[in-house]
Amino acid sequence: MLILGIESSCDETAAAVLANGERLLADVINSQVPVHSRYGGVVPELASRKHLENIQPVVTEALRRSGITLDDLDGVAVTRGPGLIGSLLVGFSFAKAIAIVKNLPCAGVDHMAGHLLSVFLGDAKPEFPYVALIASGGHSSIFRVEDPYTFRLLGRTRDDAAGEAFDKVAKLLRLPYPGGPEIGRRAEGGDPRAIDFPRSWLEPGSFDFSFSGIKTAVATFVQQREQRGEPLPLADLCASFQEAVIEILAEKALLAAGESGCPRVVLAGGVAANCRLREYLAARGSEEGVQVFVPPVEFCTDNGAMIALAGTHLLRAGRTLGLDADVYSRFQLG
Ligand code: KG4
Ligand code: ZN
């Protein structure tokens, strides 16, 4: 079963070809980071225009690298939401057009479901059910994944997403966009205990997150230092901020695993590329008797392979899109 997966929900135009839900033949990603970096964040109108320019070359390249043509495909999978409407529509219309012209079934994949299943693109695959922590630029949520189609939401952020907090703090520190990897690098030389930033645990037993308070705490710290004319301890600041965010993400995921009775935690989303988060979760997981699974770094950030994978499951179950199906912008999984 050869499936073409297309992703265009935010600022990556991506296409992949997956055979039988397990063998990746090609995975092509065109990142728009250089386009948006000068604005310090994704500009939706520019993103849609870039997707329009990129979609055909990216899909063509994925087919070329796979050594196939559209005639060899058994189905198409495409991100339906959540995301930026203008961006989503580019990939979605392109996928539908292929499906109509080639008379192929088309699956509409929830972007979050793609992230939640992306771990199966790596070698270490968890058993179902498992608890998954998604931490990206747009979302921070904890799910219990029952099977490839059933996702139960246990908690989500009440304000900023974890990646958004990284990006906003980086902007405050005048570091380049995207801020997450930049803060991760700066934190390597710093002391994570140097500055005691607040950890927002919310009510006992809650798996929700809140990251706006820590962002304000960093802003206040920076303002006070600048008013006193003192230099910023950049490495310590990055390390301490990163540690606070990571501790909350990891501890809540482990707690959710304990409470929902499945001792397996899967990490997903762009922030899962953070080395300290991976290291912290692995160490605390082994203390708590929880197995930790992390997708290879290239499948943590947005990609077409995870959409092809989630779409393969939908197509196998006969869950295909009608011609009148549309995209959606808001979070709705679980
Ligand atoms: O999943 P993703 O590619 O796109 C969304 O769906 O949002 O995640 C991108 C987010 C950005 O906020 C970026 O700063 C963050 O993931 N990120 C990181 C790291 N690499 C990417 N955050 C912390 N440490 C990293 N190494
Ligand atoms: Zn994503």
Side-chain angles (χ1 to χ4, degrees):
M1 193 178 194
L2 275 183
I3 304 300
L4 170 67
I6 296 179
E7 153 67 34
S8 71
S9 65
C10 189
D11 59 343
E12 262 100 25
T13 322
V17 178
L18 187 69
N20 301 321
E22 54 185 26
R23 201 160 57 86
L24 194 58
L25 303 186
D27 184 30
V28 180
I29 302 176
N30 181 295
S31 167
Q32 300 179 9
V33 164
V35 177
H36 302 287
S37 60
R38 75 166 103 156
Y39 305 102
V42 177
V43 183
E45 180 60 28
L46 287 181
S48 336
R49 286 169 194 236
K50 277 286 153 194
H51 283 305
L52 266 179
E53 279 173 28
N54 294 335
I55 188 78
Q56 190 174 0
V58 164
V59 169
T60 306
E61 180 61 13
L63 295 172
R64 191 193 65 78
R65 285 191 203 168
S66 308
I68 64 165
T69 70
L70 289 177
D71 293 319
D72 299 310
L73 290 174
D74 297 298
V76 185
V78 63
T79 307
R80 196 175 170 190
L84 302 168
I85 288 290
S87 293
L88 285 163
L89 276 172
V90 176
F92 195 69
S93 312
F94 200 81
K96 267 203 206 167
I98 293 174
I100 292 166
V101 170
K102 294 293 172 187
N103 197 22
L104 292 170
C106 183
V109 176
D110 188 283
H111 182 80
M112 309 293 282
H115 276 305
L116 289 167
L117 297 174
S118 62
V119 67
F120 292 100
L121 294 164
D123 293 330
K125 302 180 200 322
E127 277 172 39
F128 291 102
Y130 57 82
V131 163
L133 167 70
I134 300 193
S136 72
H139 308 276
S140 293
S141 315
I142 298 180
F143 284 89
R144 187 180 140 120
V145 182
E146 309 291 342
D147 57 45
Y149 322 96
T150 319
F151 309 92
R152 200 149 63 80
L153 182 66
L154 302 180
R156 59 184 293 191
T157 184
R158 295 181 186 173
D159 40 58
D160 291 347
E164 191 180 358
F166 269 91
D167 295 339
K168 286 181 175 170
V169 163
K171 206 167 179 178
L172 206 79
L173 301 175
R174 299 181 193 91
L175 297 175
Y177 170 86
E182 198 68 33
I183 289 186
R185 272 192 294 277
R186 308 264 168 168
E188 278 169 27
D191 174 6
R193 300 280 156 211
I195 308 158
D196 190 18
F197 286 124
R199 270 85 166 146
S200 163
W201 296 106
L202 304 174
E203 315 82 69
S206 169
F207 299 123
D208 283 353
F209 299 106
S210 168
F211 293 112
S212 62
I214 185 163
K215 182 191 65 193
T216 310
V218 175
T220 308
F221 181 90
V222 170
Q223 211 175 18
Q224 286 171 348
R225 285 285 170 131
E226 285 180 347
Q227 273 168 0
R228 293 199 296 250
E230 292 169 7
L232 278 181
L234 202 55
D236 284 352
L237 211 164
C238 289
S240 302
F241 161 76
Q242 174 178 272
E243 196 71 5
V245 173
I246 277 168
E247 215 175 283
I248 296 168
L249 288 173
E251 295 298 339
K252 289 219 174 200
L254 292 169
L255 208 65
E259 285 204 8
S260 67
C262 48
R264 291 171 287 281
V265 166
V266 166
L267 194 55
V271 183
N274 185 283
C275 302
R276 179 64 189 141
L277 175 57
R278 290 167 169 249
E279 178 189 272
Y280 184 100
L281 198 56
R284 286 283 298 119
S286 79
E287 279 172 20
E288 299 289 328
V290 173
Q291 268 184 297
V292 174
F293 299 84
V294 189
V297 177
E298 66 269 32
F299 302 125
C300 288
T301 44
D302 293 348
N303 62 84
M306 68 183 193
I307 303 304
L309 177 67
T312 300
H313 288 292
L314 292 175
L315 291 168
R316 277 179 182 155
R319 298 199 197 177
T320 56
L321 283 178
L323 278 181
D324 56 345
D326 208 348
V327 296
Y328 51 87
S329 63
R330 295 178 74 85
F331 180 101
Q332 55 174 245
L333 196 71

